[in-house]
């Protein structure tokens, strides 16, 4: 089961009478941009309270955010508590027993020598299917008195250098942000009653490892173990070690209140938002109850990377584990995950972060939003180098240094092919997902009223790119940069990864219209009259959505034209979600409903797994039965030991965009907002009783209780927002 806090995640389990857990922390990327674990910890207690036949219980204390393991027989009763400090990068293990016991704690590392990654293993790196050799360099592990120090420091040459050279950016290399340079990560394991006990070796699952051991000095009723973790782009190893010592000093100074403060954080986390369904039965046989329970479990996993420097990864977050238990065809080390470690796929990442608005988890959003803001200089620089015009070119699959993924860029590129483009059938011209991040920033302002001035350069640069680039392309094709209506010709483009070589793709049109309109709606303090006039002119140049007749009904077209179809998305409904041009209480809802019901491309591509967002579409269209049925499919128990470890679907386990899209759908079934309007129960089934607390725009909190389809209690804060609540018609 998962356990974590701050930006640290653990997988905790008991096997053969021993407690094991993996260590993972946000921001650990090696030379190949693989996202490795920091190691594995194994605890052996003697006498062993977890032997066969003894009483045993392992519980995730969700409200307090820790794992409790109890066992024993006869007069021996032992409790082990595993928790992570939310405010400092420290993992704590506390052992309490009714009888004196001994503890042996092993730090296990499988990266003990340089090793060439197997072809399939490279899919966890930025090299993916490239035939280039990928060496995983060893970690350094050593005893320091009675402590165990472990770390990895990246070599001077990394996949960043390889990518910059590949993508013709050598002349500006010194201007590019390089997060892999001097990156050092690791930590120290120690315990106040523990002494160095030597090494041993073994094999777990598919990976050989070396164990570095501590043991208790004497038997005792209580034992403690700490792992202090540190990640930094330190100029020298000495500097990194000094930073680690500072973490230890700060943790020691605050240890008296650390657990209490962490519990307090988790309690307020659960208090600020929740969705509880059919709790009166609380039966795992009840599909709706599973939806509510797993909504909460997944939100816990999101809370474990509240304050990471990097976004929660869609393909496993902090909680990946031995891949052979995901699929037998992955006989690799615990570091493995499909679709890369330092590569962030925007179509997937967005679904992890959209639910945080209505759950009120605004403090969890900066890792995703700052990721784009931090990489803005790199995105603008590549636009300038390739096309000599302004604007930020963010590609769909983006490295943590802001460039396209090395393998996805195209490894067999034709001579003379535009170096700014990915030679990739799926990703070519796929830039518009950055507009969704822009909308997320604008929604953050609308929900919280917080100042988003630091993000304005990002928003402006993203819309500016489309306005500039498509005039640039049209100017290269002919004498006119706009069509006969004065609109941009958004060609070549793409409607997600499905409708390729598209003209005026629906997601791009909807994204530009929505983001520019919302920029113009910002309070006057955000922009000068001149800047607003520029936004208004830009908005006038955005083309309109295209439509087509399907089975005798008017529907939203995925684009004006396209040349091929190749994936399974439904981008013709992106004007519904995320861009909200259609929905409950908005004009022409029937056209969007027709698109879901009668568009044969949409029907063919319906799916509930992974990143598919059919449940969200149906909720926003008021299709209650369909929304409920797909939500049950999406948020039912995963079939793995932890109910919210979904996948692999299209991605990996645990699939975080699977859980995120499930959360969004539940929220939209309960509450939809349109500026100041708040629609309650727009797609809520009559037989789903619920208690909920959700957040709405303008610093509004809505909580209530639904029984048999009726809202029997409602509280709105502030009270004056009660007038903006709209209930379903009887």
């Amino acid at each position: 089961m998962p356990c974590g806090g701050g930006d640290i995640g653990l997988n905790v389990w008991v096997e053969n009478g021993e407690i094991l857990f993996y260590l993972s922390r946000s921001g650990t990327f090696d030379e190949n941009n693989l996202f490795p674990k920091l190691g594995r910890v194994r605890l052996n207690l003697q006498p062993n309270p977890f032997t066969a036949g003894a009483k045993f219980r392992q519980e995730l204390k969700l409200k307090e955010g820790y794992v409790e393991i109890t066992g024993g027989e006869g007069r021996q009763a032992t409790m082990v508590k595993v928790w992570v400090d939310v405010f400092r990068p420290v993992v704590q293990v506390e052992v309490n027993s009714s009888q004196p016991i001994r503890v042996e704690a092993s730090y296990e590392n499988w990266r003990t020598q340089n090793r060439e990654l197997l072809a399939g293993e490279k899919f966890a790196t930025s090299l993916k299917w490239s035939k280039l050799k990928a060496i995983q360099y060893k970690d350094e592990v050593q005893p320091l008195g009675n402590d165990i120090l472990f770390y990895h420091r990246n070599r001077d040459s990394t996949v960043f250098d390889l990518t910059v050279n590949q993508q013709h950016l050598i002349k500006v290399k010194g201007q590019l942000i390089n997060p892999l340079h001097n990156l050092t990560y690791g930590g120290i394991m120690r315990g106040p009653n523990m002494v160095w006990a030597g090494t041993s070796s073994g094999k777990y699952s598919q990976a050989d490892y070396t164990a570095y051991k501590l043991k208790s000095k004497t038997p005792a009723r209580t034992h403690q173990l700490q792992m202090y973790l540190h990640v930094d782009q330190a100029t020298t190893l000495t500097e990194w070690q000094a930073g680690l010592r500072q973490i230890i000093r700060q943790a020691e100074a605050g240890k008296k209140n650390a657990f209490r403060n962490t519990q307090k954080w988790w309690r307020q986390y659960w208090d600020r938002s929740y969705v509880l369904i059919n709790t009166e039965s609380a039966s795992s046989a009840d599909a709706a109850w599973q939806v509510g329970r797993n909504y909460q479990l997944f939100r816990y996993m999101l809370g474990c990377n509240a304050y990471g420097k990097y976004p929660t990864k869609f393909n496993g977050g902090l909680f990946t584990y031995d891949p052979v238990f995901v699929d037998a065809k992955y006989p690799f080390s615990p570091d493995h995950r499909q679709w890369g470690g330092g590569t962030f796929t925007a179509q997937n990442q967005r679904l992890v972060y959209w639910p945080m608005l209505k759950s009120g988890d605004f403090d969890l959003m900066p890792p995703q939003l700052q990721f784009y803001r931090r990489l803005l200089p790199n995105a603008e620089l590549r636009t300038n180098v390739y096309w000599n015009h302004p604007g930020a070119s963010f590609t769909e699959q983006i490295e943590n240094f802001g460039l396209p993924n090395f393998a996805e860029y195209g490894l067999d590129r034709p001579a003379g092919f535009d170096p700014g483009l990915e030679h990739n059938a799926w990703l070519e011209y796929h830039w518009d997902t950055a507009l969704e991040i822009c909308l997320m920033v604008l929604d953050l302002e609308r929900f919280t009223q917080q100042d988003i001035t630091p993000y304005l350069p990002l928003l402006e640069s993203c819309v500016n790119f489309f306005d500039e680039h498509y005039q640039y392309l049209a100017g290269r094709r002919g004498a006119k940069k706009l069509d006969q209506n004065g609109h941009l010709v958004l060609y070549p483009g793409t409607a997600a990864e499905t409708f390729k070589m598209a003209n005026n793709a629906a997601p791009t049109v909807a994204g530009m219209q929505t983001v520019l309109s919302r920029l113009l709606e910002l309070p006057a303090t955000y922009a000068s009259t001149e800047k607003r006039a520029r936004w208004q002119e830009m908005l006038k140049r955005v083309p309109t959505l295209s439509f087509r007749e399907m089975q005798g009904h008017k529907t939203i077209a995925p684009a004006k034209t396209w040349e091929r179809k190749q994936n399974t998305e439904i981008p013709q409904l992106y004007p519904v979600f995320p861009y909200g041009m259609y929905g409950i209480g908005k004009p022409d809802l029937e056209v969007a409903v027709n698109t879901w019901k009668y568009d044969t491309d949409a029907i063919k591509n319906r799916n509930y797994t992974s990143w598919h967002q059919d449940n969200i579409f149906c909720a926003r269209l008021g299709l209650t039965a369909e929304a409920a049925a797909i939500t049950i499919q999406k948020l039912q128990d995963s079939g793995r030991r932890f109910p919210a470890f979904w996948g692999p679907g299209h991605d990996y386990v645990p699939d975080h965009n699977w859980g995120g899209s499930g959360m969004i759908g539940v929220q939209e079934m309960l509450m939809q907002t349109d500026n100041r309007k708040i629609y309650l129960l727009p797609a809520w089934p009559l037989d789903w009783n619920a208690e909920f607390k959700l957040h709405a725009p303008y610093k509004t909190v809505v909580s209530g209780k639904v029984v048999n389809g009726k809202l029997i209690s409602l509280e709105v804060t502030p009270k004056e927002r009660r007038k903006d609540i709209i209930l379903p018609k009887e």
Side-chain angles (χ1 to χ4, degrees), residues 271-291:
D271 182 64
R272 72 184 175 207
S273 181
Y274 48 82
V275 176
L276 310 172
I277 303 174
N278 289 357
T279 54
E280 66 280 0
S281 62
S283 168
S284 58
D286 181 350
W289 179 84
Q290 281 189 29
V291 166

Side-chain angles (χ1 to χ4, degrees), residues 220-268:
R221 288 190 173 92
T222 63
H223 298 272
Q224 293 182 345
L225 187 71
Q226 293 87 31
M227 284 118 275
Y228 304 90
L229 307 180
H230 185 36
V231 183
D232 189 25
Q233 281 187 271
T235 305
T236 64
L237 179 61
T238 300
E239 179 184 316
W240 179 83
Q241 290 174 322
L244 177 58
R245 289 193 294 271
Q246 177 68 9
I247 287 171
I248 295 171
R249 285 194 295 270
Q250 291 175 346
E252 284 296 306
K255 67 180 180 180
K256 181 178 179 180
N257 297 317
F259 184 59
R260 182 171 58 194
N261 291 339
T262 290
Q263 284 188 304
K264 182 180 178 181
W265 188 92
W266 280 109
R267 288 194 180 104
Q268 63 81 29

Side-chain angles (χ1 to χ4, degrees), residues 528-547:
S528 66
T529 302
E530 293 76 17
K531 186 170 286 189
R532 289 179 181 277
R534 173 167 165 71
W535 294 343
Q536 188 67 58
E537 288 300 313
M538 206 181 296
L539 179 58
K540 289 178 182 178
R541 287 193 288 271
V542 178
T544 58
L545 289 171
S546 300
F547 302 91

Side-chain angles (χ1 to χ4, degrees), residues 172-190:
V172 295
K173 183 176 180 180
Q175 301 174 54
L176 293 167
I177 297 166
N178 179 3
L180 302 182
H181 181 60
N182 284 335
L183 186 63
T184 311
Y185 49 85
I188 273 181
M189 185 171 87
R190 62 163 53 160

Side-chain angles (χ1 to χ4, degrees), residues 337-368:
R337 69 177 75 213
Q338 296 293 89
W339 299 106
T343 308
F344 292 79
T345 304
Q347 281 267 90
N348 304 42
Q349 289 294 140
R350 66 196 178 98
L351 296 169
V352 178
Y353 280 85
W354 273 122
M356 295 178 185
L357 289 164
K358 286 185 177 169
S359 63
D361 297 324
F362 311 120
D363 55 332
L364 274 64
M365 297 182 73
Q368 180 65 68

Side-chain angles (χ1 to χ4, degrees), residues 641-666:
R641 294 188 71 191
F642 190 71
F645 274 12
W646 296 286
H650 299 304
D651 298 318
Y652 201 59
V653 177
D655 187 334
H656 278 41
N657 51 196
W658 187 319
S661 57
M663 280 187 71
I664 299 164
V666 170

